[in-house]
Amino acid sequence: MKLPRLFGRAKAIEAKASATGSALVMTPGQPVWSGRDYAAFAEEAYKRNVVAYQAINRIADAVASVKWMAKRGDEVLPSHPLLQLLRRPNPGQSGPQYIRSKVAYLMIAGNGFEERVTVGGEVRELYQLRPDRVKVVPASNGFASGYIYTANSKSIRFPVDENGNSDLRHLKMFNPSNDWYGMSPVEAGAYAIDQSNESMKWVQSLLQNSARPSGALTTKDGAELSDDNFNRLKTQIEEQYAGAMNAGRPMLLEGGLSWQQMGLSPSDMSLLETKFSAARDICLSFGVPPQLLGIPGDNTYSNYAEARLSFWEDTVIPLLDLIAADWSNWLGADYGIELAPDLDDIPAIVDKRQSLWNMADKSLDLTINERRALKGYGPVDGGDVLYVTVGQIPITDLSAPIDTPEDASKMAYGK
């Protein structure tokens, strides 16, 4: 007996369900809000902390500067509709602007939500959605059954079909304690960001209070001030000695009053070192070498070029690979292509690649095709022969017997 189409489809879904995934969801179909406070991350890290702001922008700018390729197997396609889409994803954004927002959302929230608009079976536009406006709707099999986007009291649901396809794509960073939402670098560096922000608030407060640590006016022998004298002294301090404009003005004390310092000075608190230490920890959480941001006290790399190369190899390129794999699965699967970053066009890697090419050219134990492979080129006919330096003759000729002077001349000069 032939099963009805709907029943057969349900059986297929059941076969794909995870044995342990159903244990993750107590009430399938109910939205799960992110436990991360996106608004606080955006406010404290990106909007108020110059180190985190610059680290996020450095990563976003680097990723946005890379050109993209479309590949079908080993063949690089010179043009493709998806490449045009990435150059202008929507009427309001250029390609670099779109990718900058994509990376910035991912760095701040640990989650990126992307919407595609399909017309006639082709993706025509892409949009980035604010992470705090999207919530995941789990299914009974442990995967997402859909996403709900809410803005201005209006909600839109993006369903996920049985193959896991949806017009909304969720890219998330690894989170060891949450099954539905990613963990951002901001969360990992939260203590360092708080220390940096608090140190700047302390300095600002100190500057606004005559650039001196807190203290107290005391009287000798426990004498008490009258109410009139107390109010007059308070008004005088607020009007003549408080604030940055009054910094350095001498205080005239009378009636046996003396000044006793009660707070620690900036040098006593090692404030500058605390500030720079927090800045280095923030850079560490984002994977940006402190030297690139001009933060002193870190000599991990001998020069700026080494720090820049490490930034690309350890942070930017892995992020590019993550985005490329996600786009290939989501956008390229219907076309049978893969999207890949063009690493040959990255200035920071050119010097390292040039040194590799020089090593290949000077090597005495590599064939022409092996040298071309190191440079990223394909083989050529006759390129599997190994040559020696003297006259660049085939090494196979060295095994030929030398019986006469004519044989030696032929081997040396090819005549």
Side-chain angles (χ1 to χ4, degrees):
M1 177 179 174
K2 185 176 181 180
L3 293 174
R5 181 176 179 82
L6 181 61
F7 184 75
R9 187 176 177 184
K11 291 292 288 183
I13 297 175
E14 181 181 354
K16 293 170 60 177
S18 169
T20 58
S22 59
L24 300 175
V25 187
M26 300 301 293
T27 53
Q30 295 297 317
V32 177
W33 285 102
S34 171
R36 305 303 168 286
D37 191 344
Y38 172 81
F41 287 173
E43 183 72 21
E44 296 296 329
Y46 192 79
K47 296 174 67 175
R48 294 192 179 185
N49 190 277
V50 64
V51 180
Y53 169 85
Q54 194 58 255
I56 293 171
N57 284 346
R58 284 295 181 99
I59 298 173
D61 290 340
V63 175
S65 68
V66 176
K67 296 179 181 179
W68 290 86
M69 302 183 299
K71 301 174 67 176
R72 183 173 284 114
D74 294 331
E75 177 188 6
V76 177
L77 306 179
S79 62
H80 193 275
L82 286 183
L83 296 179
Q84 180 62 31
L85 178 68
L86 294 182
R87 283 191 286 267
R88 193 171 188 267
N90 60 67
Q93 288 181 306
S94 64
Q97 287 176 319
Y98 180 82
I99 295 177
R100 284 187 88 256
S101 62
K102 177 183 179 69
V103 175
Y105 280 142
L106 189 63
M107 292 294 104
I108 296 173
N111 300 277
F113 295 95
E114 198 167 4
E115 179 193 1
R116 67 184 179 189
V117 178
T118 305
V119 179
E122 291 188 0
V123 182
R124 299 295 180 85
E125 293 178 358
L126 295 173
Y127 293 92
Q128 285 293 321
L129 307 182
R130 256 178 50 178
D132 59 325
R133 293 176 175 172
V134 182
K135 50 188 174 183
V136 179
V137 181
S140 59
N141 59 2
F143 297 98
S145 65
Y147 303 91
I148 297 178
Y149 175 80
T150 304
N152 298 324
S153 302
K154 181 180 179 181
S155 296
I156 302 173
R157 185 183 179 99
F158 294 89
V160 177
D161 65 19
E162 66 273 12
N163 296 317
N165 296 321
S166 175
D167 286 332
L168 188 144
R169 187 71 170 183
H170 182 194
L171 177 63
K172 63 180 180 179
M173 306 183 79
F174 176 70
N175 189 338
S177 58
N178 194 299
D179 299 307
W180 309 109
Y181 295 93
M183 174 178 162
S184 72
V186 174
E187 188 171 357
Y191 284 130
I193 293 173
D194 286 343
Q195 290 174 13
S196 178
N197 289 346
E198 289 302 319
S199 66
M200 294 305 297
K201 290 179 184 178
W202 193 88
V203 170
Q204 181 69 7
S205 177
L206 185 65
L207 291 174
Q208 292 175 347
N209 288 276
S210 303
R212 291 191 180 91
S214 61
L217 291 173
T218 60
T219 59
K220 294 181 179 179
D221 302 327
E224 296 184 0
L225 296 176
S226 65
D227 292 342
D228 292 339
N229 289 337
F230 177 83
N231 291 331
R232 180 176 61 84
L233 180 62
K234 180 180 178 181
T235 302
Q236 182 181 9
I237 292 175
E238 291 176 348
E239 294 179 354
Q240 299 182 15
Y241 300 106
M245 297 296 296
N246 295 318
R249 175 176 293 184
M251 181 178 292
L252 300 178
L253 302 177
E254 57 181 335
L257 292 174
S258 62
W259 174 262
Q260 180 178 352
Q261 180 175 316
M262 300 181 65
L264 297 176
S265 67
S267 58
D268 293 335
M269 294 181 63
S270 301
L271 185 65
L272 286 180
E273 179 54 36
T274 301
K275 175 184 173 183
F276 290 140
S277 176
R280 289 191 291 270
D281 287 342
I282 295 171
C283 290
L284 180 63
S285 68
F286 286 99
V288 177
Q291 286 173 274
L292 298 186
L293 303 184
I295 298 172
D298 191 293
N299 297 320
T300 304
Y301 306 99
S302 60
N303 53 52
Y304 186 90
E306 285 187 7
R308 187 164 176 248
L309 179 61
S310 173
F311 169 63
W312 275 90
E313 290 187 329
D314 299 337
T315 301
V316 179
I317 292 180
L319 182 57
L320 283 167
D321 291 339
L322 177 67
I323 295 174
D326 188 68
W327 272 347
S328 297
N329 290 333
W330 186 49
L331 300 175
D334 292 339
Y335 296 95
I337 68 165
E338 292 184 355
L339 292 169
D342 185 2
L343 302 182
D344 292 334
D345 198 43
I346 299 176
I349 303 180
V350 169
D351 292 339
K352 181 177 180 179
R353 186 159 296 181
Q354 184 63 44
S355 64
L356 178 64
W357 285 22
N358 292 336
M359 180 273 293
D361 289 336
K362 295 177 181 179
S363 176
L364 301 179
D365 55 357
L366 295 176
T367 65
I368 293 178
N369 282 341
E370 288 172 337
R371 297 175 188 177
R372 289 177 61 85
L374 286 175
K375 298 177 181 180
Y377 299 123
V380 296
D381 294 338
D384 293 323
V385 179
L386 189 64
Y387 287 84
V388 295
T389 56
V390 181
Q392 292 293 294
I393 62 175
I395 197 171
T396 53
D397 289 353
L398 295 178
S399 61
I402 304 176
D403 298 327
T404 64
E406 288 79 8
D407 293 335
S409 177
K410 183 177 180 180
M411 183 183 69
Y413 301 104
K415 298 180 180 179

